[in-house]
Amino acid sequence: MLFQSFLIKYGEIGIKGKNRYVFEEALMKQIGHALQPVEGSFSVSREQGRIYVDADGDYDYDEAVLALTRVFGIVGICPLVRVEENGFDQLAKDVLKYLDDVYPDKNKTFKVVSRRARKNFPKNSQEINADLGEIILDTYPEMKVDVHHPDIMLNVEIRSQVNIYSMIIPGPGGMPVGTAGKAMLLLSGGIDSPVAGYMIAKRGVTIEATYFHAPPYTSERAKQKVIDLARIVSRYSGPIKLNIVNFTDIQLYIYDKCPHDQLTIIMRRYMMKIAEHFANESGCLGLITGESIGQVASQTMQSLAATNAVCNMPVYRPLIGFDKNDIIAISEKIDTYETSIQPFEDCCTIFVAKHPVTKPNLKIIERSEQHLNEKIDELMEVKPEIIAMDATISKRPGNKTLDEFFKEAKEKYPDQILMADISDYQEGIQAWKSGI
Ligand code: ATP
Ligand code: MG
């Protein structure tokens, strides 16, 4: 492999003054985490305010670059050739070899940008630029100098070693995870919440997640989909602890006792309460949801206010002003989209009313919840099933088919009306065949 090292450029974190050390440490840790599943052995080091990744022996270049493009805090990844410093003549030879290896087609414009951290090098940077430029022009006559918009910005840095690089692969920006506290993501199987988690993680926040499922109304496959989504988000955010909460009894109880047009809001309020409870226990500083104004009945300003009213913690809604198309574009970019659109039921869609309130009145909602008070406290003492998600783990337990799941649900709850949340004709037929 031509490039045995990478120079990592970081943006925002460079300006953090005294805290710079903390940010660099977090960035190095996240780089190490991201490279773990990549074939090869890597070391991450810091030297004079720069971060380097060095590969020890053979490694998978494409995979390593892909992993690095997912580390928040990185703005540029520069594949690097590092050579020993042995005077100017040797430097010129190394630079010519670099150009020959990296650019077989010499029909290119270039500019040399040299920096000299070792001041006892015999030439200053301007002399190096000029002299190297001349040697390059003599050796490769097809190449031309362009100081304004060169095809090749050839960086030559003379330090204890010499760094040569000319490519900068863009990183995702943001802040390294682990520099901004922790927050609890309410993670469903939909398109929005994984994107919301990604966006908050991008600001340096460590993510923990809670998923509410309602077996047997929601299947193992719906749960697996959420586990898969957490795993995809963890490629960026680092490990995610996923709390899986059995919400069935609470949901059935609410279904039984409350006006059906208020079901979604009341369920959402209990989800928030339970998530906040876990968030407090694990030291989170806020909740995260994938809501955006007006997307559905439970996301009107009035509904959001009613949901918000049960929480003491700040609720972060990074998608609040986004259109669905904007959210889909991000989910495609981060690779959650294909998983999110798998047609497995969500515990909200199963218990949803035909005509939910769109402008809930908090007083009325609270009055409805009074019917729940005695028993709900007992039901709320739920213990989550916990799964630690790591980018390096990929386990897929055997799944039930949708058909098996609905048959089981019908046997267990013969009187319960089952509703299929379908997105096309074929799914409708499948649901009908399953007895719904
Ligand atoms: P998403 O695409 O994230 O599912 P949505 O557009 O379907 O969102 P809702 O179903 O109203 O919207 O949910 C709003 C938010 O509530 C979600 O973004 C998510 O943060 C949270 N949420 C909804 N259902 C669940 C669930 N079963 N478990 C955990 N969180 C949930
Ligand atoms: Mg949803």
Side-chain angles (χ1 to χ4, degrees):
M1 172 50 64
L2 177 60
F3 302 109
Q4 274 308 113
S5 304
F6 296 92
L7 168 65
I8 303 299
K9 300 212 165 191
Y10 42 88
E12 264 182 272
I13 74 171
I15 53 169
K16 292 287 168 186
K18 276 190 294 192
N19 289 333
R20 181 176 173 142
Y21 182 82
V22 175
F23 284 82
E24 287 175 347
E25 286 285 304
L27 183 56
M28 287 168 67
K29 188 171 156 204
Q30 291 303 323
I31 291 173
H33 175 79
L35 288 171
Q36 240 172 42
V38 177
E39 200 185 306
S41 150
F42 304 91
S43 59
V44 186
S45 60
R46 179 178 33 193
E47 199 184 292
Q48 295 167 327
R50 323 200 74 175
I51 290 174
Y52 295 97
V53 173
D54 293 291
D56 183 13
D58 281 349
Y59 73 104
D60 188 323
Y61 174 84
D62 292 334
E63 259 191 59
V65 169
L66 182 65
L68 291 170
T69 58
R70 292 176 178 148
V71 178
F72 297 136
I74 294 182
V75 296
I77 301 149
C78 311
L80 191 66
V81 167
R82 301 178 93 175
V83 293
E84 292 306 315
E85 195 276 287
N86 274 321
F88 182 78
D89 292 346
Q90 183 59 43
L91 174 68
K93 278 188 195 143
D94 291 329
V95 165
L96 291 174
K97 177 170 184 330
Y98 175 96
L99 287 172
D100 211 24
D101 288 341
V102 182
Y103 302 100
D105 173 12
K106 300 287 180 308
N107 212 340
K108 296 246 185 315
T109 59
F110 75 98
K111 174 184 181 178
V112 181
V113 181
S114 68
R115 262 166 299 235
R116 191 178 59 142
R118 248 203 54 206
K119 295 293 174 205
N120 59 353
F121 193 78
K123 292 176 194 277
N124 68 28
S125 38
Q126 258 168 16
E127 290 165 340
I128 300 170
N129 292 346
D131 294 356
L132 278 180
E134 211 175 299
I135 293 170
I136 293 168
L137 290 171
D138 284 349
T139 315
Y140 304 125
E142 310 96 292
M143 295 189 81
K144 288 188 180 57
V145 172
D146 181 344
V147 289
H148 300 296
H149 303 288
D151 301 326
I152 304 170
M153 185 75 86
L154 183 69
N155 290 275
V156 177
E157 298 181 349
I158 297 157
R159 295 169 171 255
S160 50
Q161 282 185 308
V162 178
N163 293 336
I164 308 171
Y165 65 93
S166 57
M167 290 185 283
I168 304 184
I169 301 157
M175 312 282 263
V177 169
T179 55
K182 186 157 63 164
M184 178 67 76
L185 169 67
L186 280 89
L187 181 62
S188 68
I191 295 169
D192 306 330
S193 46
V195 173
Y198 166 88
M199 288 179 68
I200 297 293
K202 189 171 172 185
R203 298 309 304 163
V205 177
T206 304
I207 300 291
E208 191 171 322
T210 301
Y211 165 58
F212 296 90
H213 70 153
Y217 304 103
T218 61
S219 65
E220 271 299 306
R221 292 174 74 176
K223 177 171 116 182
Q224 185 59 42
K225 175 178 161 184
V226 174
I227 296 173
D228 291 344
L229 286 170
R231 192 173 58 241
I232 300 170
V233 176
S234 80
R235 288 178 191 155
Y236 304 89
S237 67
I240 294 178
K241 188 172 119 192
L242 174 65
N243 305 285
I244 298 180
V245 176
N246 187 324
F247 203 52
T248 313
D249 291 344
I250 296 177
Q251 223 162 1
L252 287 174
Y253 191 62
I254 298 171
Y255 194 78
D256 220 29
K257 298 273 188 248
C258 295
H260 284 190
D261 62 344
Q262 297 171 17
L263 276 179
T264 310
I265 291 290
I266 295 177
M267 283 185 312
R268 301 271 311 112
R269 280 164 59 90
Y270 280 103
M271 279 187 188
M272 298 295 265
K273 255 191 211 181
I274 296 170
E276 185 177 50
H277 170 77
F278 296 136
N280 268 319
E281 274 190 347
S282 58
C284 292
L285 300 171
L287 302 175
I288 307 164
T289 73
E291 291 157 315
S292 77
I293 294 174
Q295 202 188 76
V296 287
S298 59
Q299 297 175 23
T300 60
M301 295 271 277
Q302 293 84 346
S303 298
L304 290 169
T307 315
N308 224 46
V310 290
C311 301
N312 293 315
M313 257 184 201
V315 181
Y316 296 107
R317 299 180 170 91
L319 309 180
I320 201 70
F322 280 49
D323 292 347
K324 197 74 183 183
N325 282 343
D326 304 333
I327 303 170
I328 289 174
I330 302 176
S331 78
E332 283 174 334
K333 190 183 87 183
I334 67 173
D335 236 13
T336 51
Y337 183 71
E338 289 301 323
T339 306
S340 287
I341 59 169
Q342 286 171 11
F344 302 128
E345 66 300 327
D346 171 331
C347 67
C348 296
T349 52
I350 284 173
F351 289 90
V352 83
K354 277 208 183 69
H355 302 291
V357 281
T358 53
K359 293 180 182 161
N361 177 310
L362 189 56
K363 291 252 164 357
I364 296 173
I365 296 283
E366 281 172 349
R367 206 173 307 141
S368 303
E369 287 178 356
Q370 274 169 11
H371 302 295
L372 306 171
N373 276 348
E374 307 113 50
K375 200 177 160 198
I376 200 101
D377 287 348
E378 185 190 312
L379 291 175
M380 292 251 307
E381 280 174 22
V382 286
K383 295 256 178 315
E385 171 193 338
I386 292 175
I387 297 185
M389 296 306 308
D390 196 297
T392 55
I393 295 170
S394 58
K395 55 173 180 177
R396 282 166 187 273
N399 293 321
K400 275 190 196 126
T401 63
L402 202 65
D403 198 36
E404 284 164 353
F405 152 70
F406 277 118
K407 284 213 173 90
E408 199 176 279
K410 278 213 93 96
E411 273 165 29
K412 238 180 170 165
Y413 298 89
D415 300 330
Q416 180 64 47
I417 295 167
L418 295 181
M419 195 181 93
D421 182 25
I422 53 167
S423 59
D424 63 22
Y425 179 72
Q426 209 52 41
E427 280 175 33
I429 295 289
Q430 180 60 38
W432 174 72
K433 280 187 182 157
S434 304
I436 300 153

